[in-house]
Amino acid sequence: MIEIQHIFKDFGKFKVLKDINLSLNGGECVALIGPNGSGKTTLIKTVLGMVVPSSGIIKFDGENIQNKYSYRKEIGYMPQIGQYPENMSIGQVLDMMKDIRKMPEDQLDLDLYHAFNLPALLDKRMGTLSGGTRQKVSACLAFLFNPKALILDEPTAGLDPLSSEILKNKIQKVMNENKLIIISSHVLSDLDDLVSQIIYLQEGKLMFHKSLQQLKIDTGTDKLSKAIAQVMSVPNQTK
Amino acid sequence: MNKIIRYVFVDLLRNKTIIFYTLLLFALSVSVFSMEDNYEKGLVSLLNIVLFVVPLVSIVFSSIYLYNSAEFICLLVSQPLKRGNIWLSIFAGLAGTLCLSFFIGVGIPTLLYAFSSSGLILVGCGLLLSVIFVSIALWTSVLIRDKSKGIGLAILLWLYFGLLFDALVLFMLFQFSDYPIENFMVGLSMFNPIDVCRILILLQLDLSAMMGYTGAIFRDFFGNALGMSITIAVLFLWAIIPLWLSVRYFKKKDL
């Protein structure tokens, strides 16, 4: 579904992404892992067209996304830090998004909307919300339009245990619908029972892209967190 | 595209600064017109206020608004929307609101008290200046990421167009007073939209007699249809070029 070919990105002298090549398909749940500043968010933003790569091609469903915008209809994006206009209420933000996406009301996926009890908060202004409630709004918006691909950047950061469990259940449910899910997270214990594949980035380079089972076999461990800890401590082992 | 314009527009109409700006302009124009018995005198007093306040509010308010809605723009960019359309919609919303404020604040009193060609030109110039300075603000705020630097530059640009440019022109006039530079001065004035507007309106008011030989040259140029159309074209270019540059940059910007 998403093809990333030879992507480079630099901010001035600082090279953030160096020759990333990836091929991701529907039905996969991919974990994007790497130390802070390894280029995870930048990679996600290039797929969304928010950051324009210095060179390289990204294809969504076989089409080059450069200067295109309609492909974003098929992507639900949950940002790391949800930034919304401060003086709009939750209800207004939701209405605006529905207005932009033009999806009939009966096709909307309202599971998270109800599970997070957002109807009770519709009148609250975005500026007054706590970090966790913002994350709930972001999550709800990402799933709302039944997208083919979901990109979740640190989805569980800031959510309380109950809410993050709701979100995890939702992700598992959606996985069975042949959608592509990309999760970037540092909470590896959350990922263990969700993801099928691991992408490991370090200093803007793709270190490996393999299935979770393969990674566990290669490192001889039974937990993702242990496997990653081993990879991080011996960075050249899997090169 | 229309939706985003509507959101920006509704958001701006509730903005306290815009309401205050409208009321301020309205109070100023009504009081100026009721103080002067001759409407032409009123127009001249109003002209100086308009040429001072409108560019200042347009450029500074637009810059602040753009920096404050960075999140909103970020959110829109991740949606299935064309980047160019997002930027143009924000421009349309900002320019539309500021023009509306100006029209309510200055346009309506002028049409009521001083319905004349000079009055109409004053209103037209004010509307154009609003659009021009919104367009300049769009360009500077897309280039500069840092909020305080961006707003600082907006104020500097206003100072330049409002005061420094005239000082430079005066300096040159005195330095080269022995040479025939009148035609050159006409060309030079095109580099400042505020000056163009000032000349346009003053020439309508029979005050050009006070401006000596240069005034005569100006009258000669701005007075005929060709000069007039060139001037208006220049003013439109002042609105379009910064906007076009900002759209071009925004399409490639990393958010």
Side-chain angles (χ1 to χ4, degrees), chain B residues 233-248:
Chain B
V234 166
L235 284 178
F236 273 102
L237 282 182
W238 266 105
I240 293 164
I241 291 175
L243 178 65
W244 175 71
L245 289 171
S246 73
V247 170
R248 220 179 57 151

Side-chain angles (χ1 to χ4, degrees), chain B residues 73-92:
Chain B
I73 295 169
C74 232
L75 182 69
L76 290 178
V77 166
S78 69
Q79 299 303 315
L81 294 167
K82 234 185 189 164
R83 274 200 184 194
N85 279 353
I86 296 174
W87 198 243
L88 287 175
S89 308
I90 291 170
F91 167 75

Side-chain angles (χ1 to χ4, degrees), chain A residues 42-158:
Chain A
T42 309
L43 182 62
I44 286 175
K45 284 187 169 181
T46 55
V47 173
L48 282 160
M50 293 169 80
V51 169
V52 185
S54 311
S55 68
I57 297 172
I58 300 175
K59 286 180 181 170
F60 188 88
D61 274 344
E63 267 195 72
N64 192 341
I65 63 162
Q66 205 179 2
N67 295 326
K68 297 266 168 47
Y69 59 95
S70 48
Y71 76 96
R72 282 182 223 136
K73 262 185 238 165
E74 303 296 346
I75 299 183
Y77 170 51
M78 178 174 173
Q80 192 166 15
I81 302 155
Q83 293 182 312
Y84 300 97
E86 303 278 296
N87 50 5
M88 275 171 101
S89 68
I90 296 184
Q92 282 170 325
V93 170
L94 289 173
D95 284 342
M96 182 176 74
M97 288 308 182
K98 286 183 203 163
D99 218 10
I100 289 172
R101 299 264 187 149
K102 289 181 217 127
M103 186 174 263
E105 199 76 25
D106 55 316
Q107 284 176 31
L108 295 176
D109 182 350
L110 292 169
D111 285 2
L112 283 180
Y113 177 68
H114 294 297
F116 286 147
N117 198 20
L118 289 183
L121 305 169
L122 284 182
D123 292 331
K124 280 207 171 184
R125 288 197 164 209
M126 296 305 301
T128 64
L129 296 184
S130 70
T133 319
R134 264 165 198 263
Q135 286 291 87
K136 287 183 189 172
V137 176
S138 304
C140 174
L141 281 175
F143 285 89
L144 192 59
F145 301 99
N146 250 319
K148 272 202 233 167
L150 278 156
I151 300 179
L152 313 172
D153 198 353
E154 301 274 353
T156 51

